[in-house]
């Protein structure tokens, strides 16, 4: 895999984007579950902006400020010690969003996914104390688990891309392949070992399944 493709896949599979991807998928398939008629409704646009800002933009900005403050040497954060601060920053915002969503503001299934992503972050935080677990793999492991639960919960639902009609099972297969490609990308960039990737996949998957049990 070429370095440019590996970097592109790494950006595409950034762990802070997983909840945004899940929201988009659920809104496109069934906006009525969110009290909207279609994805372009004002209600869904406000929700989308809130999720993107809380789970990606604001945590991302907070993490980016660590470099000029001298708390990390680079935004790649090759040293596991440099990842402690970013995990804490993201974890705080994810906990805040779950608190706001636990009152029925969104479908219970999406609130469950937010809790799963939050648990996955703290799993990664604690494992990172001992070894540099892959945050990308943690995010993708959680993403696979989320789509798997969605396929069970919304059995028979379909997803349209132009003239192509896909079932949730087909989407799940695509996400699994994408998770594998992102893992290969992280390996080719020398960011992680295979063990660190598998630890990440397991942590993310287990975190979402644990959220399913809790809620």
């Amino acid at each position: 895999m070429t370095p440019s493709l590996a970097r592109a896949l790494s950006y595409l599979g950034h762990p802070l984007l997983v909840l945004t991807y899940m929201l988009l998928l659920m809104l496109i398939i069934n906006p009525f579950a969110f009290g909207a008629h279609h994805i372009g409704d004002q209600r869904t646009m406000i929700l989308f902006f809130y999720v993107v800002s809380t789970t990606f933009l604001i945590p991302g900005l907070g993490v980016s400020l660590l470099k000029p403050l001298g708390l990390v040497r680079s935004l790649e954060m090759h040293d596991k010690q440099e990842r402690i601060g970013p995990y804490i920053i993201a974890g705080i915002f994810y906990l805040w969003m779950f608190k706001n969503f636990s009152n029925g503001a969104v479908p219970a299934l999406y609130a469950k996914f937010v809790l799963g992503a939050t648990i996955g972050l703290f799993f990664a935080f604690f494992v990172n104390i001992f070894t540099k677990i892959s945050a990308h793999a943690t995010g993708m492991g959680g993403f696979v688990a989320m789509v798997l639960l969605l396929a069970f919960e919304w059995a028979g639902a379909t997803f349209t891309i132009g003239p192509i009609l896909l079932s949730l099972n087909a989407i799940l297969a695509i996400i699994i392949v994408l998770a594998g490609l992102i893992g290969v990308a992280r390996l080719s960039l020398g960011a992680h070992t295979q063990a660190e990737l598998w630890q990440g996949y397991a942590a993310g998957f287990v975190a979402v399944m644990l959220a399913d049990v809790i809620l």
Side-chain angles (χ1 to χ4, degrees), residues 17-29 34 39 44-52 101 106-107 110 113 143 146:
L17 287 172
V18 168
L19 286 177
T20 297
Y21 291 152
M22 277 308 304
L23 178 63
L24 282 174
L25 180 60
M26 293 176 73
L27 283 173
I28 292 172
I29 293 175
F34 293 84
I39 193 172
T44 58
M45 296 304 292
I46 292 173
L47 175 62
F48 176 77
F49 177 75
Y50 176 71
V51 170
V52 172
F101 281 173
V106 296
Y110 190 72
F113 295 157
F143 197 11
M146 290 176 192

Side-chain angles (χ1 to χ4, degrees), residues 77-98:
M77 291 172 285
H78 297 293
D79 182 10
K80 65 184 179 67
Q81 297 302 320
E82 293 181 318
R83 299 181 173 219
I84 294 175
Y87 278 131
I88 293 173
I89 292 172
I92 290 171
F93 283 99
Y94 276 56
L95 280 171
W96 172 255
M97 192 170 77
F98 173 68

Side-chain angles (χ1 to χ4, degrees), residues 46-134:
I46 292 173
L47 175 62
F48 176 77
F49 177 75
Y50 176 71
V51 170
V52 172
S53 60
T54 305
T55 64
F56 179 67
L57 295 178
I58 299 176
L61 177 62
V63 171
S64 67
L65 290 175
L66 295 178
K67 187 175 186 296
L69 291 173
L71 298 176
V72 298
R73 289 191 295 272
S74 77
L75 294 180
E76 294 293 326
M77 291 172 285
H78 297 293
D79 182 10
K80 65 184 179 67
Q81 297 302 320
E82 293 181 318
R83 299 181 173 219
I84 294 175
Y87 278 131
I88 293 173
I89 292 172
I92 290 171
F93 283 99
Y94 276 56
L95 280 171
W96 172 255
M97 192 170 77
F98 173 68
K99 179 181 180 298
N100 291 337
F101 281 173
S102 60
N103 59 2
V106 296
L109 186 60
Y110 190 72
K112 187 180 296 183
F113 295 157
V114 175
L115 178 60
T118 305
I119 293 172
L121 266 172
F122 284 100
F123 273 0
F125 170 78
F126 286 115
V127 174
N128 185 72
I129 296 173
F130 307 100
T131 183
K132 195 180 76 171
I133 188 173
S134 171

Side-chain angles (χ1 to χ4, degrees), residues 1-2 5 12 35 38 42 66 82 85 117 140 156-157 172 179 186 208:
M1 183 178 292
T2 64
L5 177 58
L12 178 67
H38 56 81
Q42 183 181 19
L66 295 178
E82 293 181 318
M140 292 311 298
L172 176 60
R186 303 306 290 166
V208 174

